[in-house]
Amino acid sequence: MQSQAQFSISAGWTDQARRLLSPHCDERPGREPPSLLVIHNISLPPGLYGGGYIEKFFLAQLPIEEDPYFENIAQLRVSAHCLIARDGNLTQFVSFNERAWHAGDSEFCGREKCNDYSIGIELEGTDEEPYTRRQYLVLIELTKTLMMHYPGITKDRIVGHSDIAPERKTDPGPSFDWKIYKNGLTANA
């Protein structure tokens, strides 16, 4: 699978993304550069796409009156660096140089608090439904750019949320095709 977009990063932001600033972030301890990439999935309400609810959730603007599920999560302070929608549209909520609140209680290679040193990318989707070709293309291109800009992120330091929080999380789930994704990272590299 060949990606088509070319991404660039300046001051922690990619100009190829729509920018919405989440209040759910802070400075990385010691301003440590990112060295881990975490792939997630999200849909709001669960199993439904579109509607802008993911964006509203990350912006602390979730309208609890619009779905009963929202009452359960509206108080959570959650963000990700980026969201890749089903159609491949990319939104960035937090500078890559800052700490987004996406991983929660987590551990990678014996080191806890993955938010401190990771970048979180959300795919609009569920564990069960296949992701779209456009999502893979954008994710691959964004990942390549992140790996060039932040050399601590290597292929061995790209994980699913389920890998760093296995007792709590299952995303990106069995519907995520790691082979397509990892092969895409080496295509034209």
Side-chain angles (χ1 to χ4, degrees):
M1 178 177 290
Q2 287 197 2
S3 54
Q4 298 171 350
Q6 292 293 321
F7 288 87
S8 61
I9 296 173
S10 176
W13 296 93
T14 178
D15 290 336
Q16 289 72 25
R18 177 176 64 141
R19 191 180 300 184
L20 298 174
L21 304 180
S22 174
H24 302 156
C25 63
D26 57 6
E27 191 173 294
R28 292 184 189 276
R31 297 181 187 236
E32 178 179 356
S35 60
L36 180 69
L37 180 62
V38 182
I39 309 297
H40 302 263
N41 75 32
I42 188 169
S43 58
L44 289 176
L48 299 178
Y49 306 130
Y53 294 118
I54 300 168
E55 291 90 343
K56 291 174 184 170
F57 181 47
F58 291 161
L59 298 174
Q61 300 171 356
L62 195 60
I64 60 173
E65 68 282 355
E66 292 190 23
D67 190 279
Y69 180 76
F70 296 163
E71 289 182 33
N72 300 323
I73 64 168
Q75 78 288 353
L76 298 177
R77 299 177 70 199
V78 177
S79 63
H81 290 90
C82 293
L83 167 68
I84 303 173
R86 302 293 290 175
D87 61 5
N89 283 327
L90 179 64
T91 303
Q92 186 170 356
F93 298 91
V94 176
S95 165
F96 298 125
N97 297 331
E98 292 183 300
R99 176 171 56 185
W101 303 342
H102 62 95
D105 186 20
S106 54
E107 179 183 325
F108 179 74
C109 289
R111 184 174 176 196
E112 297 180 339
K113 300 181 181 178
C114 294
N115 285 339
D116 291 354
Y117 54 95
S118 67
I119 291 174
I121 307 296
E122 293 274 4
L123 299 173
E124 185 178 30
T126 67
D127 288 5
E128 298 81 26
E129 189 170 345
Y131 297 92
T132 69
R133 181 176 189 278
R134 284 295 305 151
Q135 285 180 297
Y136 283 110
L137 291 173
V138 171
L139 179 61
I140 289 165
E141 190 61 38
L142 180 59
T143 301
K144 286 179 179 180
T145 303
L146 289 169
M147 291 171 70
M148 286 188 323
H149 199 80
Y150 301 103
I153 298 174
T154 63
K155 281 202 219 174
D156 294 334
R157 296 185 64 85
I158 300 172
V159 297
H161 198 185
S162 58
D163 297 314
I164 61 170
E167 301 298 317
R168 296 185 309 110
K169 297 295 180 177
T170 59
D171 58 314
S175 62
F176 186 75
D177 193 324
W178 285 99
K179 185 176 180 182
I180 287 175
Y181 173 55
K182 296 278 178 125
N183 286 345
L185 294 180
T186 57
N188 297 330

